[in-house]
Amino acid sequence: GENVEQHPSTLSVQEGDSAVIKCTYSDSASNYFPWYKQELGKRPQLIIDIRSNVGEKKDQRIAVTLNKTAKHFSLHITETQPEDSAVYFCAASGAPPGNTGKLIFGQGTTLQVKP
Amino acid sequence: GAVVSQHPSWVICKSGTSVKIECRSLDFQATTMFWYRQFPKQSLMLMATSNEGSKATYEQGVEKDKFLINHASLTLSTLTVTSAHPEDSSFYICSARDLRGNQPQHFGDGTRLSIL
């Protein structure tokens, strides 16, 4: 079945440095790739997403890149701040009507930004 | 923006009790909602896809008779954990896709279920 692998599981960076989290997916039909930030005990919050018709998307300090050939996508956070500390999840899904749009999540990355 | 309301946020109950969790899309219609379970320090695991007006689609390994799903309207899906046991204790989260399509999924706040 579909599978999403995420690395690393933990990441510690100094404030101001960049952080990169990588994911690979198995289903070549996947065409939507969101990234979520989850703080302890709270809902996942969408921070950025990308569709398969583009290779890169940026929103201020956050960017996502997608390589469909290699079936991997990455999250880049620049100028990290302590409030970026959280668990980050990547996910992949196909598109309706042929696919329900269900999300398959990666294992998560605990990001710690040290002041 | 789109809001998904999930209720209750906390449930503590005795073993053997059945617990119902509600997931509502407040400002959009959703033919499809999803139910996830998340154990501490783990990822979100999809349990089932809830389809308005039809049977839910369960992921492999999820007991459909244990986790009853009803999606009776375009704005409400319910998950009932029947005869809950301590191993069912977890964080249950729903999400919903806007009927209009091509929209991101929106998550509820989750329900912390503790079975004593």
Side-chain angles (χ1 to χ4, degrees), chain A residues 38 43 51 101-103 106, chain B residues 38 43 59 102 105 107-109:
Chain A
Q38 187 180 32
R43 73 171 82 182
R51 298 187 186 275
K102 67 180 184 181
L103 293 174
Chain B
Q38 187 176 32
S43 186
E59 294 299 303
N102 224 30
Q105 285 189 31
F107 284 85
D109 281 330

Side-chain angles (χ1 to χ4, degrees), chain A residues 6 32 34-48 86-91 103 105-106 108, chain B residues 2-4 6 34-38 42-45 91-96 104-112:
Chain A
Q6 182 173 346
Y32 175 62
W35 285 89
Y36 289 89
K37 176 183 180 182
Q38 187 180 32
E39 296 176 350
L40 191 62
K42 296 190 176 181
R43 73 171 82 182
Q45 297 269 13
L46 178 70
I47 55 172
I48 195 167
V87 181
Y88 291 80
F89 292 99
C90 64
L103 293 174
F105 282 84
Chain B
V3 176
V4 174
Q6 188 172 340
F34 303 92
W35 288 97
Y36 296 86
R37 180 168 53 183
Q38 187 176 32
Q42 293 190 24
S43 186
L44 287 83
M45 297 300 297
F91 191 50
Y92 292 84
I93 313 177
C94 70
S95 71
Q105 285 189 31
H106 302 281
F107 284 85
D109 281 330
T111 297
R112 179 77 56 192

Side-chain angles (χ1 to χ4, degrees), chain A residues 24 35 58 67 115:
Chain A
T24 59
W35 285 89
K58 189 174 181 180
N67 183 327

Side-chain angles (χ1 to χ4, degrees), chain A residues 47-100:
Chain A
I47 55 172
I48 195 167
D49 58 8
I50 191 168
R51 298 187 186 275
S52 58
N53 56 344
V54 298
E56 184 173 358
K57 184 177 178 180
K58 189 174 181 180
D59 182 4
Q60 299 183 348
R61 297 187 296 110
I62 297 173
V64 57
T65 58
L66 171 65
N67 183 327
K68 282 211 73 180
T69 303
K71 292 192 286 188
H72 67 68
F73 55 113
S74 301
L75 177 71
H76 304 253
I77 305 175
T78 58
E79 300 171 33
T80 54
Q81 300 166 4
E83 50 266 38
D84 293 331
S85 298
V87 181
Y88 291 80
F89 292 99
C90 64
S93 98
N99 187 296
T100 61

